[in-house]
Amino acid sequence: MFQRHCIVINMRSALALIMIFIFSGIRQSQTAGNLMETETKFEGQTKNMTNNDAIPLTIKSINDTNVSCSRAPDSECSLLPFPCIRCNYNYSCHYGRDVNITCTALDNVQCKGNRTFVQQMNCRYCYQTEIWQQACSHRGNCNSVNPHYYRTNCTVHSDVFCLGNRSFTRNLKCNWTQGYRWSTALIISITLGGFGADRFYLGHWQEGIGKLFSFGGLGVWTIIDVLLISLHYLGPADGSLYI
């Protein structure tokens, strides 16, 4: 005959488990903050935050000579960026290798030195450049909790040499925030979670009303929400990320 064994957890053990989950959530939040600071350093050349996971899509055509060139007349011709110069690319180069290309300053651009010069570039198309070498338009109102992507327009920086069109479309991973703080949500869940205040704060109104009239599910729902928020499983209702 098999004997059934029951595991009994007293209040002290339950509180210890809750504190372990909270500390693990704090550690995850600090790690995420360090990753965001690292990404911000790479984004010094871009206007907004971007994500390293992206999928190249169809290329849009663009005429670089249509963009005005605003440079001082005493600038060196070899230091001019796009769209002040026009380069002759070798499309038969080997991908990933450094090659030399010949560039010429446009006729309407005033500069010092030789107007025709040689530049070095890495053989790759513009949509294959690193994400920090591109300036992409970003948007919110997408679900950041699940790995969703959205299509946007990107353009490589003026000092980057690459093959093909300099403007293109690609998929970027949804990564935006609406100002909800993880620490605030966790404190509200611990202190006022029995009244559904944490659900109201995150925008889950229906669950908040149910939690309010059930007194936090007689405490069970309150403990579950504390664990979910501490583990980042329960986030804002609009799909944004914590800050």
Side-chain angles (χ1 to χ4, degrees):
M1 296 293 293
F2 293 98
Q3 295 181 355
R4 296 182 178 179
H5 298 280
C6 297
I7 300 176
V8 180
I9 300 178
N10 55 21
M11 184 61 65
R12 183 177 300 177
S13 300
L15 292 176
L17 290 175
I18 293 175
M19 294 303 296
I20 291 174
F21 283 120
I22 292 174
F23 286 134
S24 63
I26 294 175
R27 192 170 302 172
Q28 292 179 0
S29 179
Q30 292 176 350
T31 305
N34 294 334
L35 292 176
M36 291 182 65
E37 292 179 359
T38 304
E39 291 180 356
T40 306
K41 293 179 181 179
F42 285 111
E43 293 160 359
Q45 301 175 355
T46 59
K47 294 181 179 179
N48 297 314
M49 182 180 58
T50 55
N51 190 281
N52 288 333
D53 296 327
I55 304 173
L57 297 177
T58 56
I59 300 176
K60 284 186 176 181
S61 61
I62 184 173
N63 188 358
D64 294 328
T65 59
N66 291 336
V67 186
S68 61
C69 175
S70 57
R71 301 290 293 183
D74 56 348
S75 300
E76 292 289 339
C77 294
S78 59
L79 299 179
L80 292 176
F82 287 95
C84 304
I85 58 177
R86 181 180 298 171
C87 301
N88 296 324
Y89 297 100
N90 181 14
Y91 284 83
S92 62
C93 61
H94 295 279
Y95 174 77
R97 294 184 181 180
D98 293 332
V99 295
N100 293 327
I101 57 175
T102 302
C103 299
T104 304
L106 298 181
D107 296 335
N108 59 347
V109 176
Q110 297 180 2
C111 58
K112 297 168 54 178
N114 295 328
R115 302 185 64 85
T116 301
F117 49 90
V118 176
Q119 291 282 8
Q120 189 179 54
M121 62 164 287
N122 188 271
C123 182
R124 56 184 173 178
Y125 282 90
C126 292
Y127 70 85
Q128 295 173 323
T129 56
E130 300 294 337
I131 192 64
W132 53 270
Q133 295 177 314
Q134 305 170 6
C136 301
S137 57
H138 301 270
R139 66 181 180 89
N141 298 327
C142 57
N143 193 349
S144 298
V145 179
N146 296 323
H148 288 172
Y149 290 83
Y150 64 93
R151 182 176 295 185
T152 186
N153 298 324
C154 298
T155 303
V156 292
H157 296 302
S158 59
D159 57 345
V160 177
F161 296 92
C162 53
L163 302 176
N165 295 302
R166 302 183 64 83
S167 291
F168 47 90
T169 58
R170 68 181 301 162
N171 282 346
L172 289 181
K173 191 175 182 180
C174 185
N175 187 7
W176 66 291
T177 180
Q178 196 74 341
Y180 293 97
R181 294 186 176 275
W182 174 82
S183 57
T184 303
L186 183 60
I187 293 175
I188 293 176
S189 181
I190 295 175
T191 57
L192 301 175
F195 303 98
D198 49 355
R199 290 280 181 169
F200 287 119
Y201 172 74
L202 296 176
H204 302 279
W205 296 95
Q206 297 178 349
E207 293 85 349
I209 294 174
K211 193 175 181 180
L212 174 63
F213 287 100
S214 64
F215 298 101
L218 300 179
V220 178
W221 197 348
T222 303
I223 296 177
I224 293 176
D225 279 352
V226 170
L227 298 179
L228 293 178
I229 293 176
S230 63
L231 295 176
H232 293 260
Y233 282 115
L234 180 59
D238 55 8
S240 60
L241 296 176
Y242 289 118
I243 59 175

